[in-house]
Amino acid sequence: MADTPRAFVVGHPIGHSRSPLIHGEWLTRYGIDGVYSAIDVPPQNFAALLVDIRAGKWAGGNVTIPHKEAAFERTDRHDDAAEAIGAVNTLWMEAGKLVGGNTDAYGFSANLDQRLSGWRDGETALVLGAGGASRAIIHALLEAGYKRIDIANRTVTRAEQLAARFGNKVAAHGWASAEALISGANLIVNTTSLGMEGQPPLELDLGSAPSGAMATDIVYVPLETPFLKSAAVAGLKTCDGLGMLLHQAAPGFARWFGHFPEVDEDLRKIILSDLAAVHA
Ligand code: ATR
């Protein structure tokens, strides 16, 4: 009998991760004999974990803060998304090589495909924020065919670095320009931590958004952020960020456990009730 496949999510700290709940639900649902666990590994021990994967102790795993760049540096090969984004969130072995992939852009697009019909018809996007999530989302928007992407960020140099990375369809702006860019945006994406429980809200006047404009957020606690609420009031179609978390998990599950899992309403409810219990 083959060994039970084992996968992990590695971070430091890792206590907040919802990944064990997501993968645990799928393992149960599909009756798969597999194990998925959260492991707390400090940066100085990360290389040893990669040795264990190469030795067959693990089928692979998810990588989160602060290891995404180290995983990029230390893998034998990258998938196209990881190469474009410069960070790895999913590890697996393929033909004796340790491969680093990035499923965040896939998660972003798959969420909108499921819940924000028409988003692929947009041509211009305004991306608020220039951190790691922003990088993945800009890649996803370019893949979806967006012709122009404006990044507005508090620290304009970070936006400029991203614009330089992604080429001439992407332009960098300071935070003060965000409101003026709304009138030209078919899709507005918050990738900052503003609006997250315990953080200040993202306050933008969305009144000048063009007709048919849409908005989405990477923050999912609360599910309806102040930004999404004001977007809905201004008449924009909106989509919350929980689905990005759920969908980014699916490709890794398929690699390690051999079945591409479904993101459905039942899974959303399980994660939502866990979030409600933790944040009560
Ligand atoms: P992640 O990898 O999750 O995207 P990050 O790299 O810490 O996280 O990026 C967080 C983003 O939220 C950044 O764009 C940050 O702006 P800076 O680059 O100027 O730090 C943005 N952000 C956080 N707090 C903010 C605030 N109070 N006002 C405006 N932007 C904020």
Side-chain angles (χ1 to χ4, degrees):
M1 205 178 83
D3 284 349
T4 299
R6 289 155 41 89
F8 56 76
V9 56
V10 62
H12 184 65
I14 197 61
H16 63 282
S17 175
R18 296 278 150 12
S19 294
L21 197 56
I22 298 170
H23 290 277
E25 161 61 18
W26 283 332
L27 287 169
T28 305
R29 184 189 294 184
Y30 299 115
I32 294 171
D33 176 27
V35 176
Y36 185 97
S37 32
I39 53 175
D40 189 326
V41 173
Q44 64 271 24
N45 295 345
F46 185 68
L49 175 67
L50 302 185
V51 172
D52 285 344
I53 304 173
R54 292 177 195 277
K57 186 173 167 200
W58 301 97
N62 287 124
V63 180
T64 187
I65 294 165
H67 302 305
K68 285 182 171 189
E69 281 77 21
F72 182 82
E73 300 300 331
R74 292 174 175 275
T75 32
D76 300 324
R77 195 165 71 68
H78 304 130
D79 71 5
D80 291 347
E83 198 61 43
I85 295 163
V88 157
N89 78 338
T90 306
L91 297 166
W92 68 92
M93 291 297 292
E94 208 173 296
K97 301 278 185 213
L98 179 59
V99 186
N102 193 308
T103 65
D104 286 332
Y106 165 80
F108 176 80
S109 301
N111 180 37
L112 300 193
D113 284 343
Q114 196 171 46
R115 304 178 71 89
L116 196 68
S117 65
W119 80 277
R120 285 181 182 272
D121 301 334
E123 296 197 338
T124 56
L126 170 59
V127 174
L128 305 162
S134 174
R135 262 194 286 174
I137 286 168
I138 291 166
H139 176 65
L141 292 170
L142 290 171
E143 290 275 291
Y146 273 74
K147 295 190 170 61
R148 182 177 173 90
I149 299 166
D150 290 302
I151 312 169
N153 196 47
R154 179 177 61 178
T155 310
V156 71
T157 48
R158 288 186 90 191
E160 284 163 357
Q161 281 160 11
L162 280 196
R165 176 179 193 99
F166 285 105
N168 58 10
K169 290 181 183 158
V170 182
H173 309 268
W175 193 249
S177 307
E179 221 149 75
L181 292 162
I182 286 171
S183 61
N186 303 126
L187 177 66
I188 305 164
V189 187
N190 176 39
T191 77
T192 75
S193 47
L194 292 172
M196 194 185 292
E197 196 177 78
Q199 300 288 319
L202 166 54
E203 289 179 291
L204 273 185
D205 183 351
L206 295 159
S208 65
S211 103
M214 304 182 183
T216 186
D217 205 323
I218 62 156
V219 174
Y220 54 86
V221 179
L223 201 55
E224 190 182 38
T225 58
F227 166 65
L228 290 181
K229 205 172 270 183
S230 62
V233 169
L236 280 73
K237 240 163 91 171
T238 65
C239 177
D240 66 66
L242 181 60
M244 180 175 172
L245 171 76
L246 305 179
H247 283 280
Q248 63 77 31
F253 188 93
R255 296 266 182 206
W256 314 312
F257 302 121
H259 180 86
F260 203 96
E262 203 185 334
V263 172
D264 60 9
E265 216 34 58
D266 287 349
L267 182 69
R268 256 177 91 83
K269 280 190 193 134
I270 288 165
I271 306 305
L272 279 174
S273 61
D274 183 66
L275 289 170
V278 173
H279 295 271

